[in-house]
Amino acid sequence: MIHFPMIACHLAMLHARRMLLWVMAFVLLLACLAMGYAGWFETIADLVSSGWILMLMVCYGLLYLFMADESGRDAYFKGLGLYRRWCWTQAVVHFFVMVPLIVLWGIVLAVVWGTGGWGMAGMMLLFEAVFAQATMVSLQPRFVGLSKSKQLALMGVISGPWILTAWLLGVFGSKSLLYGDSIWAFVVGLALLGGIQTAFSFYSEA
């Protein structure tokens, strides 16, 4: 499924769009400042909620950055019959780009929350895996041939129910961890959601 030259291609695309990445980082900083002034970082519960909101923003921002590429690579790999592999590799790159941000948030929470911060980081990593697979692997191949504007619009609309469900499972799981309740139902729910999406992907490839 994974092809290292394709990974290099995705990373080269991100490097070429580094200015947009800096813009995303600046917008994220503004969002953090606004949330801080609004009092959204005052308690651990606030940090948990704010972290998940920021997580969703960054996930979709990076997804759209990948999808907005106009270089014709989609058509090229589809012509070679390698488009599914291209999408899987894109999902892997999306995941590993998000890992440092999630670990950083885990460190911030670990300072004020202890081991619970790492538990929430684990939930975020699971959510990110579900997000990347559901959007890039399951949905994106269905939009090939459409204009970029339609692809971006359809991705936001169609992925919404799946991603919102996964996001809520992550939020509720983190809140349960905060209050000392069992989180296994939410972990299993997230894993099942990802498993169903993966099964759909392999079924559509068959």
Side-chain angles (χ1 to χ4, degrees), residues 133-150:
Q133 198 284 328
T135 54
M136 297 182 170
V137 178
S138 293
L139 289 178
Q140 188 174 209
R142 305 177 188 278
F143 305 147
V144 177
L146 299 177
S147 66
K148 285 298 179 181
S149 59
K150 288 183 179 179

Side-chain angles (χ1 to χ4, degrees), residues 36-53:
Y37 280 114
W40 288 22
F41 296 145
E42 293 182 354
T43 67
I44 296 177
D46 292 334
L47 285 171
V48 169
S49 299
S50 300
W52 278 103
I53 292 171

Side-chain angles (χ1 to χ4, degrees), residues 45-93:
D46 292 334
L47 285 171
V48 169
S49 299
S50 300
W52 278 103
I53 292 171
L54 294 170
M55 174 81 175
L56 193 63
M57 290 171 55
V58 177
C59 281
Y60 267 109
L62 191 58
L63 168 67
Y64 283 160
L65 187 63
F66 275 115
M67 290 185 64
D69 184 28
E70 294 285 0
S71 62
R73 293 189 182 97
D74 289 358
Y76 173 75
F77 285 109
K78 183 173 176 60
L80 293 177
L82 298 174
Y83 190 63
R84 284 284 180 179
R85 180 176 292 185
W86 173 252
C87 291
W88 275 103
T89 308
Q90 188 183 70
V92 169
V93 173

